[in-house]
Amino acid sequence: MSRRCDICGKGPLYGNKISKSHNVSKRVWYPNIQSVRAVQQDGTKLKLKVCTKCIKAGKVKKA
């Protein structure tokens, strides 16, 4: 399963986890992706993987 929003293209962000003793290790932040049944302009329904920011903004019309 891809961890990318079908609407805005938001994907994982990479960075460092830094402990109190300043030990550095790699980590990943994943967007909150939800599977949503959406309606297109012509009335057809399809399943999309959409981030919650796009759902809240109303960029997706749920079926």
Side-chain angles (χ1 to χ4, degrees):
M1 178 175 146
S2 69
R3 292 180 169 146
R4 190 161 295 276
C5 178
D6 290 333
I7 303 297
C8 66
K10 184 186 288 187
L13 296 171
Y14 302 95
N16 291 322
K17 178 172 63 175
I18 302 177
S19 68
K20 187 177 177 183
S21 59
H22 208 75
N23 293 331
V24 178
S25 59
K26 296 287 185 184
R27 66 155 294 177
V28 182
W29 288 270
Y30 293 110
N32 191 357
I33 301 291
Q34 304 293 322
S35 290
V36 175
R37 282 185 49 151
V39 179
Q40 285 185 324
Q41 301 291 341
D42 58 354
T44 58
K45 298 174 185 174
L46 68 148
K47 241 182 179 177
L48 295 174
K49 287 177 273 199
V50 184
C51 67
T52 52
K53 195 170 185 179
C54 289
I55 294 172
K56 288 179 192 175
K59 295 181 181 177
V60 178
K61 187 173 179 185
K62 289 188 178 180

